[in-house]
Amino acid sequence: MQTKVSTIQSLFAAYQQGEDLAAQGLVKVSGWVRTNRDNGSIGFIALNDGTCFKNMQVVYHEDLLGHEEISHLLTGAAIYVEGKIVLTPEMKQPFELQASKIEILGQVEPDYPLQKKRHSFEYLREIAYLRPRTNTFSALYRVRSVLALAIHEFFQGKGFVYVHTPILTGNDAEGAGQVFTVCTKDDEGKLSETAFYGQKTSLTVSGQLHVEPFALAFRDVYTFGPTFRAEKSNTPRHASEFWMIEPEIAFADLEDDMDLMEETIKYVIRFVLDRCPDEMAFFDQMIAPGLLQKLNDVLAAPFRRMEYTEAIGLLQEAVKNGHKFDYNKIEWGMDLQSEHERFLTEQIVKGPMFLINYPKDIKAFYMRENDDGKTVAACDCLVPGEGEIIGGSQREERYEILKAKMEKQGNIEELDWYLNLRKWGGCIHSGFGIGFDRLLSYITGVANIRDTEPYPRTSGGLRF
Amino acid sequence: MQTKVSTIQSLFAAYQQGEDLAAQGLVKVSGWVRTNRDNGSIGFIALNDGTCFKNMQVVYHEDLLGHEEISHLLTGAAIYVEGKIVLTPEMKQPFELQASKIEILGQVEPDYPLQKKRHSFEYLREIAYLRPRTNTFSALYRVRSVLALAIHEFFQGKGFVYVHTPILTGNDAEGAGQVFTVCTKDDEGKLSETAFYGQKTSLTVSGQLHVEPFALAFRDVYTFGPTFRAEKSNTPRHASEFWMIEPEIAFADLEDDMDLMEETIKYVIRFVLDRCPDEMAFFDQMIAPGLLQKLNDVLAAPFRRMEYTEAIGLLQEAVKNGHKFDYNKIEWGMDLQSEHERFLTEQIVKGPMFLINYPKDIKAFYMRENDDGKTVAACDCLVPGEGEIIGGSQREERYEILKAKMEKQGNIEELDWYLNLRKWGGCIHSGFGIGFDRLLSYITGVANIRDTEPYPRTSGGLRF
C-alpha cells in the first residue's frame, strides 16, 4: 500500500519546487485526522501522515460516499483519501485535496485520551506512547532524529570512526555516581551478580575508557549510545538512562578539543535549523520565545575561553558587589554550581564560553595534570540559558603519572589495559562528552528531560 | 596539534584527485609505526595514522637528527614526521614522505603484545582493545562505522524518524529467550530488582513494541541500538549484547515490508563497497575469498519470494532424493533450522530470498494472522553463505484478534498500551529487525561475532 500513496511531505516539497500540483491527476494519501469539521454541505479534515510537521487540508462534500460517517470522524482516526489537488493561494495553506473518496482505515474509540484541546506536559507523560501524535512531540522527536543524524554526518564527514562501546561492563569508568547492576538467576533461581559473566557486571556510565584505545588506532573516533546512572535525582535534568556522544581524538591537546567542541555545537545547530524550519519555528513561537535568536547568537559568537582561576575571581568580585548566589561562598578549589556557570556565561561573557584548567581534586583521574601541579587540562562548555552542555579534557598520557593516580583511585587492577595504552605508542589525546538529551532540550527549548526522551527512564517508574 | 598536521587519508585523496603532492612544500603528519626497517644508510617506516586503511611510506636517511633511535623504533610507536612528498610512480605506493624531521611521541615497551607477525583471531580476542591496530580489525571497525552511517543515511534519506527506544524496560517483548535483570542495592544493601523503579526491570530484547506507537504517528520510523539476551549460547553467532536495527512502517503490508528489506540490504552493501574499497578488497583477498562476488550477486539479484508451505515441500523432496540434513524430519509446522534455510537459498533458489507465511504457532503473538487461520504474515530474508539475516512481519492490527492472542500469552496487563494502539486510529503496519553485528559479519566475511564487536559480550566473560 505504501508504494501507492504520496506522502504529504512530498506534496509540500513538490509545491515548493514550483511543480503544478493541480495538474497531477488523482492524488492518494493516507494519514491521521488531526481535526475534522463539517457544516453539512462541506467538511474539512486537517490530515497528518507523520512525514512532515504540516497538515494537509482535505475538503469533502455531502455527496461523498460515506459522508455521514466521514463527517463524524474523530481526531486520531486513520484514513485513506483520493482526490485532486486544488491550489488555494488566498488561504493559509497553499493547496488542499478535494476528496473524491475517503476510506476509514482505523476508527477511534471515544475513550481516546488525546482530544483536540491542549494537554499539559505532565498529562502527556502519563500517555508517553501517544505523545508523538501531538504537535509539540511530533516536532520534538523529529528534531531528535535529525539531531542524531547531524551528529553522525558531522563526525563521519570529518573521517571519525563510530565505535559501539559496550553497555555491559565490569568497571564503572569514573567511579562517578551509582551504577545499575546486571543480574541473572543462578542455578538455584536466586539473583546473582556473577552467574552469567563470572564477575560483577554494571551498566556503563560512559564509553570514554573503552573508546580511547580506538582513538589510539583510528586517531578520530566517537561513541553515540545509551549510558546509565542509578541516581534518584528527581530534577528536570536527570534521567537514569540517556544517550551520550563521546568523541576522542589523538595527537590532540585541549585547544584542539575546544575547537572541535565549538565546531560540533555550531554544526548541529545549523543542521537542525536547516532541516527542521517548521519545527523550530513552532518551538520559537509556542514553547520558548526567543529560541531562534538564542541559537543564532551562538552560531555567530566565537566561544570565549576563560581559566577557572579567573572565573573564581570574577565570581568573588560579583559577590563583593552584592550579587547573591544560593551558594555564596566562592573559593578556589570549589566545584561550580549551575548558578555560577550560568552567571559566568549569561552575565559576564554574555555568550558561549569554555571554562578551563580546573582544580585536579574535583576532576577525574584520567585528566591530564598541568605543569602547575594544581590543575588539570579539563574544560566545560557553558552556554546562556543552560549552563554546562559539554565536558571534556585532555587525557593523562604519561604512564608514571597516570599509574600513581590510578593506584590512589584503586582501579589499577580492573583497568590495567587502560594504563597499558600509555606504554605502547601512547600520545597526547583528548575528548569530550555531550549529553544528547540535554542538547536536544537546549536546541528545542523543551526544558524537561522527561519530555525529550521517547520513553523517559527517571526514578519515577517504568510505565511503558 | 591536530590542526597542524595532514591526515594520510587527505594525502591519498589529494593524489587521487591529481594534485601535485611534490609541490606541497613541507608536509607534517603524525601516526603509528606499522613496520620499520633500516639498512644503515636509508630507512623505511610504514606509517598509519588511522584515517585510512593504507599506510604511507616514510623514508629517512642516516643524517637525520636522532637517526640511531629512529632506526630502532618498534612497531606501534607514535611519531611526528615532517618532510617533502616525493612521487614514486614506479613503486607499489604512489608517493613517499622524505623525512627531514622525526619526533618520537610515544615509545613502545618491549612487552607489546602485537608484533609484526600474523596473530590468530583467538589470540587477538585476549587483547581486544589493541585489535584495531591490526590490518584486519582496522578494516573491520571502519566498515562497521560506515555500515552504521549507511543505515542512518538510508532511512533518514527516505524520511524515516530515528527513535531511541528504551534499554531499561518493564516487559520482555516477545517473551523470547532469557533476559538480564537490572538491580540496585536496597536500603539494607541487598540486591533488589525493584528498589529503583518500583517494579522488575529488564534489559530490552527488542525495541519493536516501543517503536510501533511512533510508526502510528510518524508513519516511517526505525530504531538502532543495543539489545540483550542472557543466553549462554557459545556459538560464533550469539552474543549477549548486540545492536539491532528495527524499522517499522505504517500503512504497509508484508509486500511493502519485503520491498523495504530488499532495498535496505542492497543500499547498505552498495554504500560499503563505495566507501570502503580498500577494506573490502582486503577482506576479499585475506579473509573470505569470493566475498565481493557474493555481494555483487546479491546486488544484481531480485529477491525471490517463497511460501513456507512450498519450502517444506521442497525440503521433503530433497530428503526423498537422498539429501541428508542433521535434522532430517521435515514436516509442516516445524521451525526451520539454519541448515534448511541455507539449503533453500544456496541450493534451490541460488540467491537471496524471502520465506513468507509461517505457521502461527512458531511465531510471535503480534504477527498478523492470515485468512487461512493457520499462518501469519511473517517473513525471513535468507541469503547464500549466511541463512537468515532479517526477520519481519506484518503486525496484527485487529483489536479483538490481538487481544485474544495476548490473553493467551498472558502479557495483556503489562502491554495494555500496546493493545490500545489498535483501537485509536490503528492501521496496517509492518516492520523487521536486522542484527547489525551479523550483518557486518555477512558483509565482511569475518565469521565470528566475537570479532565484529569492538568489545564482545558473550557468556565467556567481561575482560575489558
Side-chain angles (χ1 to χ4, degrees):
Chain A
M1 168 163 193
Q2 271 212 344
T3 48
K4 293 185 218 134
V5 302
S6 302
T7 65
I8 293 176
Q9 189 277 330
S10 71
L11 294 172
F12 275 109
Y15 175 81
Q16 268 161 4
Q17 282 156 28
E19 277 182 43
D20 183 5
L21 289 179
Q24 274 216 349
L26 201 65
V27 166
K28 302 165 183 182
V29 293
S30 45
W32 293 275
V33 173
R34 281 287 170 89
T35 60
N36 181 20
R37 61 204 160 82
D38 169 75
N39 68 13
S41 65
I42 185 167
F44 302 93
I45 289 171
L47 187 73
N48 189 290
D49 72 351
T51 62
C52 64
F53 185 67
K54 291 196 199 81
N55 302 322
M56 184 174 66
Q57 176 144 287
V58 174
V59 183
Y60 58 91
H61 296 89
E62 57 183 323
D63 56 356
L64 190 71
L65 188 72
H67 174 267
E68 174 65 18
E69 204 182 358
I70 289 158
S71 69
H72 288 98
L73 275 176
L74 297 175
T75 295
I79 58 173
Y80 167 79
V81 187
E82 285 179 12
K84 289 212 41 150
I85 298 277
V86 176
L87 298 180
T88 52
E90 73 287 357
M91 312 291 273
K92 215 180 113 196
Q93 63 283 351
F95 59 86
E96 60 190 26
L97 185 62
Q98 290 276 353
S100 52
K101 180 177 177 182
I102 296 183
E103 240 173 64
I104 299 169
L105 303 177
Q107 278 286 11
V108 175
E109 294 194 21
D111 59 350
Y112 188 47
L114 277 179
Q115 296 305 323
K116 252 190 290 189
K117 66 173 185 139
R118 198 159 172 180
H119 298 288
S120 74
F121 281 4
E122 288 75 14
Y123 172 74
L124 291 171
R125 278 174 217 145
E126 305 293 312
I127 46 168
Y129 71 115
L130 299 174
R131 291 190 295 186
R133 303 177 179 203
T134 67
N135 278 335
T136 302
F137 289 90
S138 161
L140 186 56
Y141 296 134
R142 194 185 317 277
V143 171
R144 187 178 173 101
S145 169
V146 168
L147 182 60
L149 181 65
I151 295 292
H152 287 297
E153 295 220 334
F154 174 70
F155 287 110
Q156 299 238 4
K158 292 174 78 72
F160 282 57
V161 170
Y162 176 32
V163 181
H164 288 143
T165 47
I167 308 303
L168 301 175
T169 170
N171 52 64
D172 67 349
E174 319 186 14
Q178 288 285 101
V179 298
F180 288 106
T181 302
V182 177
C183 300
T184 51
K185 295 267 159 74
D186 64 16
D187 293 339
E188 287 155 23
K190 268 184 60 184
L191 273 182
S192 162
E193 299 179 85
T194 55
F196 196 81
Y197 287 114
Q199 69 179 94
K200 208 185 144 193
T201 309
S202 314
L203 293 181
T204 186
V205 300
S206 158
Q208 180 202 319
L209 302 189
H210 283 99
V211 90
E212 280 189 44
F214 281 74
L216 294 177
F218 287 112
R219 199 180 94 136
D220 299 329
V221 297
Y222 69 109
T223 71
F224 184 13
T227 53
F228 304 83
R229 299 275 160 91
E231 284 173 298
K232 291 213 165 185
S233 308
N234 190 19
T235 81
R237 282 170 60 89
H238 287 86
S240 40
E241 174 180 336
F242 53 97
W243 282 63
M244 285 265 283
I245 303 140
E246 296 179 279
E248 188 78 24
I249 49 179
F251 307 112
D253 59 20
L254 195 65
E255 294 291 317
D256 295 312
D257 210 28
M258 286 189 283
D259 288 345
L260 183 62
M261 289 185 212
E262 183 170 341
E263 199 186 340
T264 306
I265 290 295
K266 287 181 171 174
Y267 180 96
V268 300
I269 289 176
R270 203 171 285 122
F271 194 95
V272 166
L273 290 174
D274 282 354
R275 304 277 185 113
C276 302
D278 294 336
E279 287 82 356
M280 293 304 292
F282 173 84
F283 290 126
D284 189 60
Q285 224 176 332
M286 305 297 287
I287 304 290
L291 177 71
L292 293 177
Q293 186 62 53
K294 176 187 88 174
L295 296 176
N296 282 311
D297 285 349
V298 168
L299 289 183
F303 286 24
R304 171 142 168 225
R305 298 172 184 195
M306 184 190 286
E307 297 274 337
Y308 166 90
T309 302
E310 183 189 350
I312 290 292
L314 290 165
L315 291 169
Q316 285 171 333
E317 207 179 292
V319 169
K320 213 187 298 171
N321 293 336
H323 189 89
K324 283 255 180 300
F325 294 107
D326 286 343
Y327 190 94
N328 219 27
K329 193 159 167 279
I330 311 293
E331 53 190 1
W332 198 97
M334 72 186 287
D335 213 352
L336 296 184
Q337 305 296 309
S338 184
E339 57 173 337
H340 306 130
E341 295 172 340
R342 293 192 58 166
F343 183 82
L344 290 166
T345 181
E346 291 168 7
Q347 305 297 321
I348 309 249
V349 171
K350 298 187 170 63
M353 64 183 289
F354 293 108
L355 212 51
I356 62 173
N357 296 331
Y358 284 79
K360 67 177 178 181
D361 291 340
I362 59 170
K363 288 290 182 183
F365 74 93
Y366 52 73
M367 295 183 181
R368 190 181 200 278
E369 206 164 298
N370 289 321
D371 291 343
D372 62 15
K374 296 191 305 183
T375 62
V376 287
C379 74
D380 283 353
C381 178
L382 315 178
V383 288
E386 179 82 10
E388 189 219 318
I389 48 165
I390 319 182
S393 70
Q394 187 171 334
R395 320 307 188 187
E396 185 57 75
E397 88 282 10
R398 293 162 297 185
Y399 185 85
E400 291 301 338
I401 297 176
L402 183 61
K403 188 173 170 221
K405 282 190 154 184
M406 290 176 72
E407 270 163 359
K408 209 171 140 196
Q409 189 89 1
N411 57 9
I412 203 163
E413 239 174 274
E414 51 175 340
L415 290 175
D416 60 335
W417 55 272
Y418 180 77
L419 180 59
N420 284 344
L421 294 173
R422 276 69 185 170
K423 62 173 178 172
W424 296 329
C427 66
I428 62 165
H429 60 289
S430 301
F432 58 89
I434 309 178
F436 180 73
D437 310 278
R438 284 192 189 170
L439 180 64
L440 178 65
S441 165
Y442 173 70
I443 289 178
T444 59
V446 174
N448 198 312
I449 204 162
R450 289 171 181 78
D451 299 317
T452 59
E453 302 189 340
Y455 297 91
R457 286 354 188 174
T458 56
S459 54
L462 279 182
R463 172 64 180 92
F464 303 105
Chain B
M1 167 163 192
Q2 271 215 341
T3 48
K4 291 185 220 135
V5 302
S6 303
T7 64
I8 293 176
Q9 188 277 329
S10 72
L11 294 173
F12 276 108
Y15 175 80
Q16 266 159 7
Q17 281 155 30
E19 276 183 46
D20 183 6
L21 289 178
Q24 274 215 352
L26 202 64
V27 167
K28 303 165 182 181
V29 292
S30 43
W32 293 275
V33 174
R34 282 287 171 89
T35 60
N36 182 21
R37 62 205 159 83
D38 171 75
N39 68 13
S41 65
I42 185 166
F44 302 93
I45 290 172
L47 188 73
N48 189 290
D49 72 352
T51 62
C52 65
F53 185 67
K54 291 195 199 80
N55 301 323
M56 184 173 66
Q57 175 144 288
V58 174
V59 183
Y60 58 91
H61 296 88
E62 57 183 324
D63 57 353
L64 190 72
L65 189 70
H67 174 267
E68 174 64 18
E69 205 181 356
I70 288 158
S71 69
H72 290 99
L73 276 175
L74 297 176
T75 295
I79 58 174
Y80 166 79
V81 187
E82 285 180 13
K84 288 211 43 152
I85 298 277
V86 175
L87 299 181
T88 51
E90 72 287 357
M91 312 290 274
K92 213 179 112 194
Q93 64 282 350
F95 57 86
E96 59 189 28
L97 185 63
Q98 289 277 353
S100 52
K101 180 178 178 184
I102 296 183
E103 241 173 62
I104 299 169
L105 303 177
Q107 279 285 13
V108 175
E109 294 193 21
D111 57 350
Y112 188 46
L114 276 180
Q115 296 306 322
K116 252 190 288 186
K117 65 171 186 142
R118 200 159 171 181
H119 298 289
S120 74
F121 281 5
E122 289 74 15
Y123 173 74
L124 292 171
R125 279 175 215 143
E126 305 293 312
I127 47 168
Y129 71 114
L130 298 175
R131 291 190 295 186
R133 303 178 180 202
T134 66
N135 279 334
T136 302
F137 289 90
S138 161
L140 185 56
Y141 297 136
R142 194 186 316 276
V143 171
R144 187 178 172 102
S145 170
V146 168
L147 182 60
L149 181 65
I151 295 293
H152 287 297
E153 295 220 334
F154 175 70
F155 287 111
Q156 299 239 4
K158 292 175 77 71
F160 282 57
V161 170
Y162 177 33
V163 181
H164 288 142
T165 47
I167 308 302
L168 302 175
T169 170
N171 51 64
D172 67 350
E174 318 185 14
Q178 289 284 100
V179 297
F180 287 107
T181 302
V182 176
C183 299
T184 52
K185 295 266 159 75
D186 65 15
D187 293 340
E188 288 155 24
K190 268 184 58 185
L191 273 182
S192 162
E193 299 180 84
T194 55
F196 195 82
Y197 288 114
Q199 68 179 92
K200 205 184 147 193
T201 309
S202 314
L203 293 181
T204 187
V205 299
S206 157
Q208 180 202 319
L209 302 188
H210 284 100
V211 89
E212 280 190 44
F214 282 74
L216 294 176
F218 287 111
R219 199 181 94 133
D220 299 329
V221 297
Y222 69 108
T223 71
F224 184 13
T227 53
F228 304 84
R229 299 275 160 92
E231 284 173 298
K232 292 213 164 184
S233 308
N234 190 20
T235 82
R237 282 169 62 88
H238 287 87
S240 41
E241 173 178 336
F242 52 96
W243 283 62
M244 284 265 284
I245 304 140
E246 295 179 281
E248 188 77 25
I249 49 180
F251 307 114
D253 57 21
L254 195 64
E255 294 290 318
D256 295 311
D257 210 28
M258 287 189 282
D259 288 344
L260 184 63
M261 289 185 213
E262 183 170 340
E263 199 185 340
T264 306
I265 290 296
K266 287 180 170 174
Y267 180 96
V268 301
I269 289 176
R270 203 171 284 122
F271 193 95
V272 167
L273 290 174
D274 282 353
R275 304 280 185 110
C276 302
D278 294 336
E279 287 80 358
M280 294 303 292
F282 173 84
F283 290 126
D284 189 58
Q285 225 176 330
M286 305 296 288
I287 304 291
L291 178 72
L292 294 177
Q293 187 60 52
K294 176 187 88 175
L295 296 175
N296 282 313
D297 286 349
V298 168
L299 289 182
F303 287 24
R304 166 135 172 231
R305 297 170 187 196
M306 183 190 288
E307 297 275 337
Y308 166 89
T309 302
E310 184 189 348
I312 291 292
L314 289 166
L315 291 169
Q316 285 171 331
E317 208 179 291
V319 169
K320 214 187 296 169
N321 293 336
H323 189 90
K324 284 255 179 299
F325 294 108
D326 286 342
Y327 190 93
N328 218 28
K329 192 158 167 278
I330 310 292
E331 53 191 358
W332 199 96
M334 73 185 287
D335 213 352
L336 296 184
Q337 305 296 310
S338 184
E339 55 174 337
H340 306 130
E341 295 172 341
R342 292 191 60 165
F343 183 82
L344 290 166
T345 181
E346 291 168 7
Q347 305 297 322
I348 309 251
V349 170
K350 298 187 169 62
M353 64 181 290
F354 293 108
L355 211 50
I356 62 173
N357 297 330
Y358 283 80
K360 69 177 177 181
D361 291 341
I362 59 170
K363 288 290 182 182
F365 74 92
Y366 50 71
M367 296 184 180
R368 191 182 198 276
E369 205 165 298
N370 290 321
D371 291 343
D372 62 15
K374 296 191 304 183
T375 62
V376 288
C379 75
D380 283 354
C381 178
L382 315 179
V383 288
E386 179 82 9
E388 189 218 318
I389 49 166
I390 320 182
S393 70
Q394 188 171 332
R395 320 308 189 186
E396 186 56 76
E397 88 282 11
R398 293 161 297 184
Y399 185 85
E400 291 301 337
I401 296 177
L402 183 61
K403 189 173 170 221
K405 282 191 152 184
M406 289 176 72
E407 271 163 358
K408 208 170 140 196
Q409 189 89 1
N411 58 10
I412 203 161
E413 240 174 272
E414 51 174 341
L415 290 175
D416 60 333
W417 55 273
Y418 181 77
L419 180 59
N420 284 343
L421 294 172
R422 277 68 185 171
K423 61 174 181 174
W424 295 329
C427 65
I428 63 164
H429 59 290
S430 302
F432 57 89
I434 309 178
F436 179 72
D437 310 278
R438 284 191 190 173
L439 180 64
L440 178 65
S441 165
Y442 173 69
I443 288 179
T444 59
V446 174
N448 199 312
I449 204 163
R450 289 170 181 79
D451 299 317
T452 60
E453 303 190 338
Y455 297 91
R457 286 357 190 174
T458 56
S459 54
L462 276 182
R463 172 66 181 90
F464 304 105

